[in-house]
Amino acid sequence: MKTKTLMTALGTVAAGAMAATGAFAQAEVTLKLHQFLPAQANVPALVLDVWADQVEEASGGRIEIERYPSMQLGGAPPELMDQAIDGVADIVWTVVGYTPGRFPSTEVFELPFMVADARAASCAYWTMYEEGMQEEFSDVHLLGTWVHGPGMFHTADPVETPEDLQGMQIRGGSRLVNQLLELTGATPVGMPVPAVPEGLSRGTIDGTTIPWEVTAALRVPELVENHTGFEGNGLYTLTFVLAMNNDAYNNMPEDLQQILDENSGLEFSVFAGGTQADADGPARELAVEAGNNIIMIDEATAQEVWMPVVEPIYQSWIDDVAGSGLDGQALIDRARELMDGDCAQ
């Protein structure tokens, strides 16, 4: 009798486990998640897969999320947002700056020397999305908003002052980063992240602006020997979104929508930004092990030498977004208030 009871209990546990993994339960909703990095890169492996696995488990296998890395569904990275809008993919992870001018409010977090902490900024980003960015993103259902760790230079020749960048061809990740490069005398080169290794190896660019964490997947420490970062507030950050097709979300049963919502939003955004920033350290170690030259600019030098060169971006950005009916200074003030206050880590 005890044996039979035990076997029944084990069978119940096994059935539950199978249901949780989707081996037992039939998926009611299958969602295609599309993004531009290889599956083994940090964001897919440490953020997107963790999120997707949690959603699948919480749904008892009723939601299945198929993952398509490296643009496997076709198109180029700048097309990802439109793929979510048009339903080519159900969910996309993308760099907002790949579609310059379409989501101007998000650029407040891309201003030079604006962000010191990715978790605080990601929290502020989601909070400000809920407060006033919904109209900009009305064509999609947002699941997460975050920024990466401090952006920096990775170059063939060392960079210690803005003058060192003069004449260099540097890949920039957004229109504000490109403006920053222009003000230093560099020539910005528009290029999605996956194209960086070829650009560096062929010498069509002299360097790139990216955070540490993505350098490993792109083999950057093998392709350039100099890395320049900034203490305190980082040189820049880029903004990301995890965005879902509106119809794909609206057509889901309400209880599955709730599961998706419970695993998305503010807490997920902070997790995503923080996880991405935490991956900076291990990636940096690869450059250290390679014997590369790592230059860290202290806060005083950043404010005294670098900030005066790039500061005009603030006023030009405020003027630009005014054309979209936005109060740029108010966005700057609110972002700083949140990062220093309720969102401080």
Side-chain angles (χ1 to χ4, degrees):
M1 186 67 175
K2 288 182 178 179
T3 301
K4 184 177 180 182
T5 303
L6 178 59
M7 292 300 290
T8 302
L10 289 174
T12 302
V13 171
M18 292 176 70
T21 60
F24 188 84
Q26 181 67 38
E28 296 177 28
V29 175
T30 299
L31 302 171
K32 294 180 287 188
L33 168 57
H34 199 204
Q35 55 87 20
F36 58 88
L37 287 179
Q40 69 273 19
N42 285 319
V43 172
L46 302 179
V47 177
L48 302 180
D49 281 348
V50 171
W51 173 82
D53 290 346
Q54 286 176 343
V55 169
E56 290 177 341
E57 183 176 357
S59 73
R62 294 170 62 204
I63 299 174
E64 178 184 1
I65 299 178
E66 297 176 348
R67 300 95 192 263
Y68 295 89
S70 301
M71 302 304 299
Q72 288 180 352
L73 294 179
E79 299 171 23
L80 280 165
M81 184 61 80
D82 285 324
Q83 289 186 353
I85 294 170
D86 298 337
V88 174
D90 299 303
I91 302 171
V92 302
W93 170 66
T94 188
V95 179
V96 180
Y98 282 169
T99 51
R102 288 177 63 178
F103 309 98
S105 295
T106 66
E107 291 179 331
V108 67
F109 297 103
E110 299 184 355
L111 292 164
F113 300 108
M114 181 71 179
V115 172
D117 182 271
R119 286 180 172 85
S122 299
C123 167
Y125 184 5
W126 182 266
T127 302
M128 291 175 67
Y129 160 68
E130 290 194 315
E131 289 176 349
M133 295 184 193
Q134 291 97 329
E135 186 175 345
E136 289 179 34
F137 288 99
S138 61
D139 289 335
V140 290
H141 178 82
L142 281 198
L143 301 167
T145 60
W146 68 93
V147 305
H148 58 56
M152 52 188 294
F153 297 112
H154 308 269
T155 50
D157 295 323
V159 172
E160 296 187 12
T161 68
E163 289 75 19
D164 293 332
L165 287 162
Q166 290 184 9
M168 287 191 185
Q169 306 244 21
I170 305 291
R171 177 262 175 190
S174 72
R175 77 181 191 101
L176 292 190
V177 175
N178 288 342
Q179 289 178 23
L180 181 157
L181 292 169
E182 289 175 345
L183 288 173
T184 66
T187 299
V189 179
M191 181 181 291
V193 164
V196 166
E198 182 178 2
L200 291 174
S201 62
R202 290 191 173 188
T204 55
I205 54 174
D206 302 304
T208 184
T209 55
I210 47 175
W212 272 119
E213 62 89 11
V214 77
T215 58
L218 300 179
R219 301 182 295 109
V220 169
E222 303 170 30
L223 298 169
V224 297
E225 297 181 353
N226 299 281
H227 314 270
T228 302
F230 296 80
E231 296 176 355
N233 286 22
L235 177 67
Y236 75 94
T237 58
L238 295 186
T239 55
F240 304 99
V241 290
L242 188 65
M244 186 171 181
N245 175 268
N246 276 331
D247 289 339
Y249 178 82
N250 292 331
N251 291 337
M252 293 174 66
E254 287 187 12
D255 62 328
L256 294 186
Q257 288 179 350
Q258 183 177 352
I259 287 171
L260 206 60
D261 293 342
E262 288 173 350
N263 286 277
S264 305
L266 177 61
E267 186 174 341
F268 167 64
S269 298
V270 174
F271 160 78
T275 299
Q276 201 166 342
D278 289 346
D280 284 345
R284 183 182 187 276
E285 282 306 305
L286 295 177
V288 172
E289 292 169 7
N292 288 5
N293 179 33
I294 298 175
I295 300 164
M296 290 302 297
I297 309 297
D298 61 59
E299 290 186 63
T301 302
Q303 288 301 311
E304 294 170 9
V305 177
W306 286 82
M307 190 60 180
V309 174
V310 300
E311 193 166 24
I313 293 174
Y314 278 75
Q315 189 58 54
S316 66
W317 180 75
I318 290 170
D319 294 340
D320 283 346
V321 299
S324 301
L326 298 174
D327 185 337
Q329 187 61 56
L331 290 171
I332 292 169
D333 293 343
R334 180 58 174 154
R336 286 173 171 162
E337 177 187 26
L338 287 166
M339 290 189 292
D340 294 338
D342 291 345
C343 289
Q345 302 296 309

